[in-house]
Amino acid sequence: MNEEQKTVKEFADELNMDKKQLQNKLNYWKKKGAETWNFSDTFSDGVRTLTKPEQERVCELLGIPIFRQNSDAFQNPKNNENIEWLEKKIATLEEDKKFLQSQLETQNQANAEMRILLQNSLKQLSEKVSEISKIENLETLDNKEMNHVSEVSEKPSENEELFWKMNPNYKGYWNERLRPLREGKWDRQSWRLAKLRAYRLKTTLKKIEKNKKDL
């Protein structure tokens, strides 16, 4: 590392700045493009350093008078040059302000969208839990209730031909159990009848198959 090069910490100390603060500004200027920061990162023994032109550019962007090697004092732009320099400085500050405001607005919008998404997810979860609870409640029917339902439910025929003629769309126990769900029925009576019908069709079909084997 030559004498003109300085580490970020060394240069930050000269400017009475925190190293992290200066590093954040360097990263920000670099993101803004070549018009603001047209330098490639330089390193010495793995440590980020700033060349003399980089140091002068930092001072210019921060509005700090630049010390030139061929001068005995700090040189400030004069007259029209000074006005132009101040205008550029103000424009840079305005850009920085707009950038930070847009970042804040984006973050606030993201937080609001996340809250809405979370609320909708919780609502859907609550609805699903409610549906599952209804089905579980139907599973807890006691024997007395099932016996009452049995009296009003038609018993399927044990004749195979008649069985399939009366139940051409039979596709298994659970298909029958969930019929009220497909039909949009949530009353307890519909689910009781569906459970009993599914059970009777299942057991009757087993008997038919057993009788066929015994023949």
Side-chain angles (χ1 to χ4, degrees), residues 24-39:
N24 289 340
K25 288 186 176 295
L26 290 171
N27 293 335
Y28 170 65
W29 293 330
K30 188 175 180 181
K31 288 180 180 179
K32 292 185 71 173
E35 293 184 1
T36 302
W37 190 261
N38 190 22
F39 301 98

Side-chain angles (χ1 to χ4, degrees), residues 125-152:
L125 179 60
S126 178
E127 292 173 352
K128 291 295 182 184
V129 170
S130 178
E131 291 179 5
I132 293 173
S133 297
K134 289 179 180 179
I135 295 175
E136 289 179 345
N137 289 336
L138 293 171
E139 292 287 345
T140 59
L141 293 173
D142 56 31
N143 293 333
K144 182 177 180 180
E145 290 177 320
M146 287 303 301
N147 289 336
H148 174 71
V149 175
S150 299
E151 296 175 358
V152 297

Side-chain angles (χ1 to χ4, degrees), residues 94-108:
E94 287 294 334
E95 290 180 6
D96 292 348
K97 179 181 177 181
K98 290 179 181 179
F99 174 80
L100 294 175
Q101 286 178 337
S102 66
Q103 290 293 99
L104 180 61
E105 291 173 359
T106 300
Q107 185 63 40
N108 290 337

Side-chain angles (χ1 to χ4, degrees), residues 60-78:
E60 182 181 351
L61 291 171
L62 294 176
I64 299 174
I66 305 170
F67 181 76
R68 303 292 184 183
Q69 198 169 27
N70 297 328
S71 175
D72 295 332
F74 287 98
Q75 294 181 347
N76 286 315
K78 297 180 180 180

